């Protein structure tokens, strides 16, 4: 007995010492392995990875008993689809030992990131009787996967009325806490990477159920079934419907406590690929990652290789240049714009004049006339305290309406009017006073009335949804801008879709504002724009099952709109309403019906992307980490990817005063019968732009023709378009000339 106790104590002290040692220094890594180096003796990659890990532990001599057991506890995931390799928790010594294992390619740290936080189908021109919806049967044969925060399965948006059985090719499943149906056909969660770094948070549920609300919102935007009488406390009322309302949905939950780990995100995409999704929607991204250590870039290369269309968010770090993430050549990167819809409140002055402004006030204020007073920048707390039952008017001098709102709330003022040009109304959700934001022009009218009436009075009314707002769409302030850090040679973002104040489903158990609950919520971000594009991708896949991901992207880009509903160029709210540069909106605003029939397509295959990586001077290890395979080579390096957009860089400090850029592109004819296309150019001010040849004749479907674009000009920024037209089609590509420094 004594001996055993002694041995036990001796053992446990070693284990504790080891634990302390490991906890102090160990890290989680993503390790790329060369699958072709796997000895034949192993039946699965999993067994090989375990054995590799076990040998590394052995030679690092950090473990004292059965190394296979220890290896098992240190292995987080094995990956065989999204990449070849695994993730594991390793001490520095173990990591060094692993790096000299046979088959080791490269590795990166397992790092965290965050999410990029219904009227919209109508705004996109979708119509039940013509165009993309009927052509694609609303996406019925298409499976859309989302990597997000889970979902609320009881939401009406995930009902399956009238839907046929689950496609037989589907290999996915639903974990036991979620009841699936013919709409929701996959539900899985990926938590091991998070758990191994946050052991103290063991109470977090083992479920795909949405704990943040984000995933319920994004998935219903992409594929939600039609729900009648949806609204947000009276705002945005109407029927809510996803873009591809009959497509199937698979949710892969990776968000835990607001955080997403690389190891979990790769595992989710790995599973989605083997389950058989057709489209992936990723409203998340890793900032400052190079292509070879960006988990989204790595995992989506494999997805692209399997014909999966991937939509990713540009990020919400705009309007600064070079803020875009997911600037990955093989995905579709989505910027966010406004809808032609606003939520209003009306201030009715005692003289009968109505002033309308933005509001998301959710309460039930009575519409009585009360005194209204101007209080400048509303920083005099004593004065505010004496105006609790009045309407207080504040001027937003700093652009920080959140501060103003919190002052008003803290002073217990019951009603306020803000004179401001902000459009983000999320502050209403945390405040209880009745408020309206009026623009500076209307602010002058109000101030003039207050000045000339000592007995000024007004009433307020709310919950007005204004449609047909002009101009719309516009690129919104927060949407991240190109060029892409990780690959400046390809213009990003690719496309703009609705992202501002989007109404979509929400979990019943999560409050939408303070203590208020609702089955729909209004959210804003490129996170909301991305599932719109995933939904359109599903419609195109439904209508054209043989199109490659690059063909779908090309069709979406070259048929998009560059004019708003006032017939002017789409504006950029983040650049003082100037015409939006392609660095902000990509090719334009998505137009799904036109994308159905693009005429010409810029197609790209896996080897073309590899040629780009080669020209970017990536090492063979880095390229292999992305491609998972040695079957690609660098015999034809080229920075000129066959893409439906153009970006030309100049170097401010170079000696030449004029520069010349040349691009060669190949288009594939996707129409029927003979036709000829003629090129035209929307000039870039100060530049000579030419296309050789400027006429392309096609005799039959799938024929390819090439042309050269030549740009000559000074070292200044500019943008324009080239457009190929035949009798039926308009195929437009944006061109940007910008300086190299701005990509930093
Ligand atoms: C979740 O599953 C893991 C592994 O099976 C288990 O260790 C953990 O206790 C579970 N957590 C909860 C909250 O049930
Ligand atoms: C929607 O609301 C209208 C008007 O209140 C009502 O007539 C209709 O039955 C509702 N539809 C559904 C599906 O609840
Ligand atoms: C939304 O509600 C308003 C006011 O109740 C009503 O006039 C309008 O028709 C509704 N809109 C839709 C699309 O149901
Ligand atoms: C102001 O709005 C109220 C309520 O909607 C309406 O009755 C009134 O006619 C409007 N006044 C003017 C001058 O438009
Ligand atoms: C406002 O009134 C409506 C209808 O009476 C009610 O359903 C709603 O809960 C009220 N809203 C608030 C915030 O009290
Ligand atoms: C505002 O009201 C709250 C709750 O009634 C009270 O606790 C607080 O002191 C008030 N604030 C001011 C500045 O009077
Ligand atoms: C917003 O309003 C402020 C203050 O009136 C002004 O300085 C600023 O230029 C405006 N911004 C835009 C984008 O119009
Ligand atoms: C790659 O390396 C070559 C040769 O050193 C160099 O000329 C070229 O500019 C590099 N390309 C990039 C994109 O850095
Ligand atoms: C590179 O790949 C191409 C296409 O697969 C092949 O034709 C060529 O022989 C390869 N070159 C080398 C040097 O391996
Ligand atoms: C720009 O040109 C200068 C001077 O020729 C050179 O030193 C610098 O490396 C160039 N920068 C880039 C990014 O190519
Ligand atoms: C454009 O072409 C014309 C005619 O060849 C030439 O005179 C002019 O200098 C060129 N401009 C630029 C900016 O290269």
């Amino acid at each position: 007995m004594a001996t055993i106790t002694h041995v036990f104590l001796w053992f446990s002290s070693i284990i504790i010492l080891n634990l302390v040692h490991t906890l102090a220094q160990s890290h989680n890594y993503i390790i790329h392995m060369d699958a072709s180096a796997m000895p034949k003796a192993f039946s699965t990659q999993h067994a090989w990875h375990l054995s590799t890990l076990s040998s590394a532990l052995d030679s690092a001599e950090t473990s004292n008993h059965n190394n296979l057991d220890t290896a098992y506890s240190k292995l987080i995931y094995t990956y065989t689809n999204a990449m070849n390799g695994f993730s594991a928790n390793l001490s520095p010594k173990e990591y060094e030992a692993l790096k000299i294992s046979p088959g080791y390619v490269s590795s990166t740290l397992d790092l965290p990131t965050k999410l990029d936080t219904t009227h919209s189908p109508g705004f996109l021109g979708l119509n039940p009787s013509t165009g993309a919806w009927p052509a694609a049967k609303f996406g019925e044969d298409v499976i859309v996967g989302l990597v997000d925060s889970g979902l609320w399965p009881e939401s009406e948006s995930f009902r399956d009325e009238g839907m046929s059985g689950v496609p037989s090719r589907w290999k996915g499943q639903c974990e036991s806490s979620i009841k699936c149906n013919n709409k929701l056909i996959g539900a899985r969660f990926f938590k091991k990477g998070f758990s191994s770094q946050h052991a103290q948070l063991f109470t977090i549920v083992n479920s795909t159920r949405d704990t943040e609300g984000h995933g319920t919102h994004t998935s219903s935007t992409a594929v939600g079934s039609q729900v009648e009488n949806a609204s947000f406390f009276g705002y945005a009322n109407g029927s809510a419907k996803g873009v591809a309302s009959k497509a199937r949905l698979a949710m892969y939950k990776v968000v835990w406590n607001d955080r997403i780990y690389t190891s979990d995100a790769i595992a989710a995409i790995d599973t989605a690929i083997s389950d058989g999704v057709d489209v992936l929607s990723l409203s998340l991204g890793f900032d400052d990652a190079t292509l070879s250590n960006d988990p989204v870039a790595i995992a989506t290369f494999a997805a692209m290789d399997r014909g999966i269309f991937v939509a990713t968010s540009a990020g919400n770090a705009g309007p600064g240049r070079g803020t875009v993430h997911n600037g990955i050549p093989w995905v579709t990167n989505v910027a966010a714009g406004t809808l032609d819809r606003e939520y209003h409140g009306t201030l009715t002055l005692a003289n009968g004049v109505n002033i309308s402004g933005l509001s998301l006030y959710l309460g039930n204020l009575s519409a009585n006339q009360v005194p209204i007073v101007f209080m400048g920048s509303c920083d005099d707390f004593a004065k505010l305290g004496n105006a609790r039952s009045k309407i207080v008017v504040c001027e937003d001098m700093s652009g920080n309406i959140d501060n103003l709102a919190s002052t008003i709330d803290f002073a217990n003022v019951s009603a306020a009017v803000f004179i401001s040009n902000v459009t983000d109304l999320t502050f209403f959700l945390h405040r209880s006073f009745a408020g309206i934001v009026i623009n500076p022009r209307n602010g002058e009218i109000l101030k003039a009335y207050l000045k000339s009436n000592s007995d000024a009075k007004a009433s307020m009314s709310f919950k007005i949804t204004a449609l047909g707002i002009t101009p719309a769409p516009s690129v919104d302030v927060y949407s991240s801008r190109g060029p892409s850090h990780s690959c400046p040679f390809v213009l990003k973002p690719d496309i703009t879709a609705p992202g501002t104040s989007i109404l979509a489903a929400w979990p019943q158990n999560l409050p939408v504002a303070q203590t208020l609950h609702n089955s729909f919520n209004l959210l804003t971000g490129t996170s909301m724009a991305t599932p719109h594009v995933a939904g359109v991708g599903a419609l195109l896949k439904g209508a054209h099952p043989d199109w490659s991901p690059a063909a779908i992207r090309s069709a979406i880009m070259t048929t998009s709109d560059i004019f708003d509903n006032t017939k002017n160029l789409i504006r950029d709210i983040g650049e003082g309403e100037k015409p939006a540069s392609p660095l902000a909106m990509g090719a334009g605003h998505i137009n799904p019906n036109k994308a159905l029939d693009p005429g010409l397509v810029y197609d790209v295959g896996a080897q073309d992307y590899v040629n780009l990586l080669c020209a970017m001077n990536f090492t063979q290890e880095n390229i292999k980490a992305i491609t998972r395979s040695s079957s690609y080579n660098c015999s034809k390096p080229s920075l000129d990817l066959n893409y439906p957009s153009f970006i030309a860089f100049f170097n401010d400090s170079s000696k030449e005063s004029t520069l010349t850029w040349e691009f060669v592109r190949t288009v594939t004819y996707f129409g029927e019968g003979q036709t000829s296309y003629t090129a035209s150019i929307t000039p870039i001010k100060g530049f000579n732009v030419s296309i050789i040849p400027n006429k392309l004749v096609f005799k039959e479907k799938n024929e390819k023709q090439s042309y050269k674009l030549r740009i000559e000009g000074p070292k200044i920024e500019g943008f324009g378009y080239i457009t190929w037209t035949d009798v039926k089609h308009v195929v437009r590509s944006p061109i940007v000339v910008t300086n190299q420094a701005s990509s930093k």
Side-chain angles (χ1 to χ4, degrees):
M1 257 331 234
T3 327
I4 291 172
T5 312
H6 180 77
V7 168
F8 175 73
L9 280 175
W10 181 77
F11 245 101
S12 55
S13 60
I14 293 232
I15 290 168
I16 288 164
L17 280 176
N18 252 324
L19 261 176
V20 170
H21 177 80
T22 330
L23 284 177
Q25 304 197 20
S26 71
H27 293 290
N28 288 358
Y29 294 92
I30 315 290
I31 295 123
H32 295 270
M33 299 292 288
D34 182 352
S36 65
M38 179 170 92
K40 291 218 163 46
F42 294 101
S43 55
T44 63
Q45 287 204 40
H46 181 70
W48 179 44
H49 297 157
L50 267 179
S51 157
T52 303
L53 192 51
S54 166
S55 312
L57 299 180
D58 224 9
S59 49
E61 289 174 32
T62 51
S63 186
N64 48 46
H65 54 279
N66 190 336
N67 271 339
L68 211 52
D69 281 351
T70 316
Y72 194 80
S73 71
K74 285 176 163 286
L75 183 75
I76 305 170
Y77 294 104
T78 277
Y79 309 114
T80 53
N81 301 295
M83 56 171 264
N84 286 325
F86 57 95
S87 45
N89 182 271
L90 300 170
S91 71
K93 248 177 143 177
E94 293 161 353
Y95 180 49
E96 288 312 314
L98 184 80
K99 288 206 298 199
I100 52 172
S101 304
Y104 171 90
V105 176
S106 63
S107 54
T108 56
L109 272 174
D110 186 5
L111 296 172
T113 190
K114 291 184 168 196
L115 290 165
D116 291 330
T117 296
T118 337
H119 173 72
S120 46
F123 185 62
L124 297 179
L126 288 164
N127 182 313
S129 48
T130 73
W133 267 351
K137 293 188 283 168
F138 300 85
E140 180 149 22
D141 303 325
V142 184
I143 302 166
V144 178
L146 278 95
V147 177
D148 212 301
S149 67
L151 49 64
W152 185 255
E154 291 81 12
S155 166
E156 285 189 76
S157 296
F158 307 129
R159 293 203 329 210
D160 66 350
E161 255 120 75
M163 290 187 67
S164 56
V166 176
S168 57
R169 66 198 164 87
W170 177 241
K171 297 208 265 309
Q173 39 182 283
C174 295
E175 49 86 7
S176 60
S177 78
I178 304 285
K179 191 167 176 291
C180 281
N181 57 25
N182 289 335
K183 169 81 188 177
L184 175 58
I185 64 171
R188 305 273 285 262
F189 62 89
F190 299 85
K191 197 176 101 167
K192 290 193 213 163
F194 170 83
S195 303
S196 75
Q197 303 212 24
H198 300 278
Q200 75 282 11
L201 295 172
F202 64 90
T203 50
I204 287 182
V205 293
N206 289 325
S207 170
T208 313
R209 203 164 266 280
D210 196 353
T211 44
E212 334 265 328
H214 190 278
T216 302
H217 197 278
T218 52
S219 52
S220 62
T221 299
V223 300
S225 303
Q226 180 153 340
V227 180
E228 303 302 335
N229 296 346
S231 101
F232 187 67
F233 303 96
Y235 294 101
N237 59 326
S239 78
K241 185 175 182 173
V243 174
S245 60
K246 289 198 172 159
R248 320 300 174 130
L249 168 62
M251 172 57 71
Y252 301 87
K253 178 173 165 77
V254 296
V255 184
W256 306 99
N257 257 32
D258 215 17
R259 245 163 299 174
I260 303 159
Y261 277 91
T262 305
S263 55
D264 292 328
I266 296 177
I269 299 174
D270 199 72
T271 308
I273 292 171
S274 70
D275 284 352
V277 303
D278 302 305
V279 172
L280 265 177
S281 186
L282 306 175
S283 289
L284 54 92
F286 291 78
D287 292 331
D288 306 321
T290 64
L291 291 178
S292 59
N293 68 23
D294 180 347
V296 175
I298 290 165
T300 57
F301 189 95
M304 172 276 299
D305 221 4
R306 302 275 188 99
I308 299 168
F309 174 76
V310 183
T312 61
S313 47
N316 302 334
R321 278 292 175 81
T323 45
V324 69
H325 62 201
N326 292 321
I328 302 164
W330 43 89
V331 304
T332 299
N333 185 294
V334 185
T338 58
L339 287 172
D340 65 341
R341 178 172 73 179
E342 280 177 1
Y343 311 113
H344 285 180
T346 301
L347 183 72
T348 302
L349 305 179
N351 65 6
V353 169
N354 288 331
I355 296 176
S356 199
L358 301 175
S359 182
L360 261 189
Y361 173 60
L362 307 179
N364 294 317
L365 185 85
S366 76
N368 293 334
Q369 292 258 323
V370 296
I372 177 167
V373 287
F374 183 63
M375 296 230 169
S377 51
C378 286
D379 48 8
D380 187 334
F381 219 69
K383 265 170 100 182
L384 286 174
N386 291 326
R388 279 180 194 156
S389 52
K390 299 177 180 172
I391 299 173
V392 165
V393 179
C394 309
E395 206 155 15
D396 170 25
M397 310 299 277
S398 61
N400 192 341
I401 205 152
D402 281 328
N403 269 353
L404 270 181
S406 95
T407 308
I408 295 297
D409 213 24
F410 192 63
N412 292 333
V413 169
S414 58
V417 173
F418 299 121
I419 301 171
S420 174
N421 51 20
V422 302
T423 56
D424 183 4
L425 302 181
T426 46
F427 70 88
F428 276 103
L429 306 182
H430 315 291
R431 307 292 167 197
S432 50
F433 61 86
I436 301 178
V437 180
I438 66 175
N439 65 30
R441 190 163 39 81
N442 285 328
E444 292 308 315
I445 297 171
L446 175 59
K447 285 197 294 190
Y449 165 76
L450 294 175
K451 224 178 220 164
S452 58
N453 287 276
S454 53
D455 182 28
K457 284 191 173 166
S459 63
M460 292 169 121
S461 55
F462 294 96
K463 302 186 180 175
I464 302 155
T465 302
L467 299 172
I469 296 298
T470 58
S474 299
V475 178
D476 215 335
V477 180
Y478 59 84
S479 188
S480 292
R481 314 297 153 110
S484 154
H485 283 288
S486 58
C487 184
F489 311 103
V490 176
L491 178 60
K492 295 280 169 173
D494 293 308
I495 191 77
T496 299
T500 299
S501 297
I502 302 298
L503 184 76
W506 192 254
Q508 282 284 327
N509 67 335
L510 296 179
V512 293
Q514 296 166 341
T515 57
L516 297 174
H517 291 252
N518 196 39
S519 49
F520 288 86
N521 199 358
L522 287 170
L523 298 187
T524 290
T526 53
S527 271
M528 282 65 242
T530 303
H532 280 96
V533 175
V536 172
L539 294 177
L540 295 179
K541 195 101 191 170
H544 302 290
D546 56 327
W547 283 12
S548 71
I552 293 175
R553 175 179 57 205
S554 176
I556 287 174
M557 288 172 68
T558 61
T559 61
S560 63
D561 298 324
I562 57 169
F563 295 105
D564 64 22
N565 58 4
T566 66
K567 310 237 182 300
N568 291 301
L569 286 169
I570 289 174
R571 299 163 208 229
D572 184 343
I573 299 174
E575 291 274 345
E577 310 269 327
K578 287 209 216 71
S581 148
L583 288 170
M585 75 166 172
H589 192 266
I590 194 163
N591 185 329
N593 292 332
K594 282 200 194 152
L596 208 52
D597 181 18
L600 301 177
V601 151
Y602 295 79
D603 211 349
V604 189
Q607 180 65 55
D608 301 308
Y609 295 119
V610 174
N611 294 345
L612 173 69
L613 297 174
C614 298
M616 286 175 74
N617 297 332
F618 276 102
T619 63
Q620 285 307 310
E621 278 67 37
N622 285 337
I623 293 175
K624 208 185 270 177
I626 295 168
T627 62
R628 303 155 296 137
S629 132
S630 319
S631 62
Y632 304 105
N633 65 41
C634 277
S635 56
K636 282 187 185 166
S638 169
L639 292 178
D640 190 11
L641 187 68
N642 194 42
Y643 215 74
S645 60
F646 299 86
I647 184 162
F649 285 101
F650 59 85
N651 176 349
D652 282 318
S653 38
S654 69
K655 289 187 200 72
E656 303 89 328
S657 60
T658 34
L659 294 169
T660 303
W661 299 266
E662 281 188 357
F663 303 88
V664 176
R665 295 292 147 96
T666 301
V667 285
T668 309
Y669 177 47
F670 267 33
E672 302 283 350
Q674 269 202 30
T675 190
S676 72
Y677 277 85
T678 312
S680 60
I681 294 160
T682 308
I684 314 176
K685 220 172 151 199
F687 289 80
N688 288 337
V689 182
S690 58
I691 301 173
I692 307 145
N694 63 4
K695 191 170 177 189
L696 298 174
V697 177
F698 295 91
K699 294 195 189 63
E700 54 186 19
K701 193 171 183 160
N702 292 329
E703 194 177 334
K704 290 180 191 293
Q705 300 275 2
S706 298
Y707 69 90
K708 188 195 279 178
L709 170 72
R710 193 167 181 278
I711 308 169
E712 183 188 16
K715 293 186 293 186
I716 54 169
E717 292 213 338
F719 68 87
Y721 295 91
I722 72 156
T723 307
W724 290 96
T725 36
D726 75 349
V727 286
K728 263 174 61 194
H729 304 96
V730 176
V731 187
R732 194 191 51 250
S733 293
I735 309 167
V736 173
V737 180
T738 186
N739 60 334
Q740 212 135 10
S742 70
S743 72
K744 289 269 149 41

